[in-house]
Amino acid sequence: APLVSRPRPTTRVFMPSDTHRTILVPEFSHFATVPIVRPVRDMGFRVEILPTADRASVDQGLKYVNNEICYPAIVVIGDMIKALKSGRYRPDQVALAISQTGGQCRDSCYLPLLKKALVANDLAEVPVVSFASNFQPLNEQPGLRINYALFAYKLMFSLALADALSAMYFAVASRERRPGAALAIADRYLTRLDDGTIPLRRGAILATIRAAAAEFNAVEVRVGELPRAAMVGEIFLKLNSFANNRTAQWLMDQGIEVEVPPLMEYFTSTFINSEVDVRCGMRRRDLLWGVTKLVRGYVERFLRDADRARRAFRFYRPSHDIAQIAAAAQDVIDLANHYGEGWLIPGEIGAYVQSGVSNILCIQPFGCMANQVTARGIEKRLKKRYPQLNILYLDNDAGTSEVNIQNRLHFFVNHARARHHSS
């Protein structure tokens, strides 16, 4: 008899009747989750950000995600399953939200893996909404009607503020005499961004950045210059403090000033990719290409204004323009490389070295083809281009030895200190 294929059980579709549900969102990072969620809240959806992941999240994730898939998938999926099994939520009152690249990356498996985990836990009645990094839905979700143009417009404002807060926080937290003072300021503004107190308008955002700079300037700090180190790599690992073993805080505890690339760079890299794709014959000059070209000018003008608003900050350093980052990347790799973060990793490394930060920590999930091939594959070319480069690659997964990471970080920090004292 012929075999009859049966459809696999899956989760319910997010329908218009589901708009009453609270959408649960896993924490991306301390500074990145709120600015992404805020525009969605402004459109009338109820969104709750889950607490920072922990080891219990990983243990849950390992039950439903193959360890060879991707460490961020293990953390994120496990964290959402943990939340649903905690008893805090009624399955008929919540939905889950997840993002992924939708491209040549293992995170394109997040959505089916999450659905499979929900079915395995008898939670198929919980719908999942999903978006690619270009804001396009990857899932049937007729109940989630979003004006994506408006979402992107508001996201620009919320990210600009969050990125400014992040830059000022790390500069002050590395030097503060009273631990926690810088974080208290940052959290106060993030709370106002989260609850809608700060309007997502150009003037309001620029005024808020200036006000935050004044508050950070009032924090009592230790005098003197510190060795500087930048954290680059895969977008989740470099930003999520749990997944990277609180590396940024550990570095600051060692007297290192940490710099983290703004999340906005991940989105503005689309402007460069659009031009490169046309030049390489990978796409045509269509309507979307034309719109992207027009939008780029407006976005870059606003980001320059946001950068100027931060100039009163006592540890101000100019932001890297995406064109500057692309130019630095082009010295070592073809800009047609969009795999994962693609040329953005070598571009950020080059831009940091050119601005005086030669200590670079590159963090990625173990086995991440997109980032390990790109980052490690260009190490020799980077060191040839920048002889002063002190770079450390760290791979993280569910079984990573913290002792091993700490030992390697100590060598990295000692090298950074030695160079700083000799300069």
Side-chain angles (χ1 to χ4, degrees), residues 46-83:
R46 285 183 283 188
V47 184
E48 179 179 333
I49 301 171
L50 296 177
T52 303
D54 54 21
R55 185 64 207 184
S57 306
V58 174
D59 292 340
Q60 282 293 323
L62 287 171
K63 294 179 181 179
Y64 309 104
V65 181
N66 189 308
N67 197 33
E68 295 179 358
I69 290 293
C70 186
Y71 184 42
I74 294 171
V75 175
V76 169
I77 293 173
D79 197 49
M80 288 190 282
I81 296 298
K82 181 190 75 174

Side-chain angles (χ1 to χ4, degrees), residues 138-173:
L138 297 170
N139 192 23
E140 186 182 359
Q141 46 200 41
L144 196 73
R145 295 176 181 174
I146 287 181
N147 182 328
Y148 292 103
L150 180 59
F151 174 80
Y153 178 72
K154 290 195 169 191
L155 182 65
M156 174 184 69
F157 293 129
S158 60
L159 276 182
L161 174 57
D163 284 341
L165 291 173
S166 173
M168 292 186 286
Y169 160 75
F170 281 113
V172 174

Side-chain angles (χ1 to χ4, degrees), residues 108-128:
S108 294
C109 299
Y110 285 22
L111 183 56
L113 286 169
L114 176 56
K115 289 184 174 184
K116 186 177 179 181
L118 289 169
V119 171
N121 283 278
D122 295 324
L123 294 167
E125 62 185 299
V126 179
V128 181

Side-chain angles (χ1 to χ4, degrees), residues 342-405:
W343 55 265
L344 195 56
I345 292 177
E348 288 175 339
I349 293 173
Y352 273 120
V353 176
Q354 290 170 13
S355 62
V357 184
S358 58
N359 304 300
I360 306 292
L361 192 60
C362 189
I363 306 177
Q364 57 271 319
F366 176 75
C368 178
M369 295 300 292
N371 290 288
Q372 287 194 325
V373 170
T374 302
R376 292 180 183 274
I378 58 170
E379 181 178 5
K380 288 184 179 180
R381 298 191 71 176
L382 281 170
K383 288 185 174 179
K384 183 177 180 181
R385 176 71 178 80
Y386 306 108
Q388 71 272 42
L389 182 62
N390 170 33
I391 189 166
L392 172 63
Y393 295 97
L394 286 181
D395 305 333
N396 288 262
D397 67 10
T400 298
S401 166
E402 292 187 27
V403 173
N404 178 273
I405 287 181

Side-chain angles (χ1 to χ4, degrees), residues 216-283:
F216 279 114
N217 285 344
V219 176
E220 185 181 2
V221 297
R222 293 183 292 272
V223 297
E225 287 296 315
L226 299 175
R228 297 160 62 193
M231 289 176 55
V232 304
E234 190 270 336
I235 189 169
F236 184 85
L237 260 294
K238 72 181 177 184
L239 296 177
N240 188 277
S241 60
F242 167 75
N244 64 38
N245 295 301
R246 294 177 54 81
T247 297
Q249 184 60 55
W250 187 89
L251 288 171
M252 290 191 290
D253 290 342
Q254 310 306 309
I256 302 294
E257 179 183 349
V258 174
E259 297 193 29
V260 180
L263 183 57
M264 182 66 82
E265 290 177 1
Y266 186 80
F267 294 100
T268 55
S269 64
T270 302
F271 298 141
I272 304 296
N273 292 341
S274 179
E275 293 291 334
V276 170
D277 287 350
V278 168
R279 189 167 64 244
C280 295
M282 293 189 287
R283 68 175 293 181

